[in-house]
Amino acid sequence: MPVKHLRYAVAGLVALVVAGCGGGGGGGNSPTAPPPPQPPPPPTMATTFSQFQAQIFTPSCGIVSCHNTGAAQAGLVLEAGQSYGNLVNVASTQQPGLNRVTPNQPEQSYMIKKLRGDPDITGERMPRGGPFLNQADIDAMIAWINNGAPDN
């Protein structure tokens, strides 16, 4: 056998021996079980209306010129102190058959449809031109609505 082939054969044999030993040096051949999967972390998104106001409406909707007192698109002011009264149990001006927010009915709440960009909305997905809310934020709003949309 040529030396070149002998080297490959020896290298292969060494690799098999090392693999068979488990490489752990623990003396046993039992493999260590992988740790169980960790549960997902709890949501950290806002869950109360005051948190939505501080984390979403004020920085994304009320400060820019879309839903502030000076230029409220669709008559919707989303500034602190005014937004709740302009959202909950108030008919949408774009689709009057739907309230902007209907407590306990997120699928009948026009705000959720606008935030998701549902195909049956009038106009554009909100916030106009993005960046759009992530799914976790939208899910938190849906949970708030399912909880009765309290003014908390």
Side-chain angles (χ1 to χ4, degrees):
M1 177 182 277
V3 173
K4 180 178 176 182
H5 294 296
L6 184 58
R7 285 185 190 151
Y8 290 129
V10 170
L13 183 59
V14 169
L16 285 173
V17 169
V18 169
C21 290
N29 285 337
S30 62
T32 304
Q38 296 296 315
T44 57
M45 180 50 218
T47 57
T48 66
F49 188 79
S50 59
Q51 290 171 323
F52 293 137
Q53 183 68 54
Q55 296 175 15
I56 296 172
F57 298 146
T58 296
S60 300
C61 311
I63 289 180
V64 296
S65 62
C66 295
H67 293 291
N68 61 23
T69 304
Q73 297 290 314
L76 177 56
V77 176
L78 291 177
E79 293 176 347
Q82 297 181 54
S83 55
Y84 187 86
N86 286 320
L87 286 171
V88 179
N89 290 318
V90 175
S92 162
T93 58
Q94 291 181 339
Q95 293 190 12
L98 293 174
N99 284 339
R100 290 172 173 158
V101 172
T102 301
N104 302 306
Q105 296 182 26
E107 293 306 315
Q108 296 302 312
S109 297
Y110 194 59
M111 179 182 75
I112 296 300
K113 292 175 170 288
K114 289 291 277 190
L115 292 173
R116 289 188 305 217
D118 287 3
D120 60 343
I121 64 172
T122 301
E124 298 176 52
R125 180 179 181 181
M126 293 291 121
R128 181 179 292 159
F132 303 119
L133 298 184
N134 63 44
Q135 191 60 50
D137 292 339
I138 295 171
D139 289 345
M141 287 190 170
I142 289 170
W144 168 74
I145 293 170
N146 274 329
N147 194 35
D151 186 2
N152 53 3

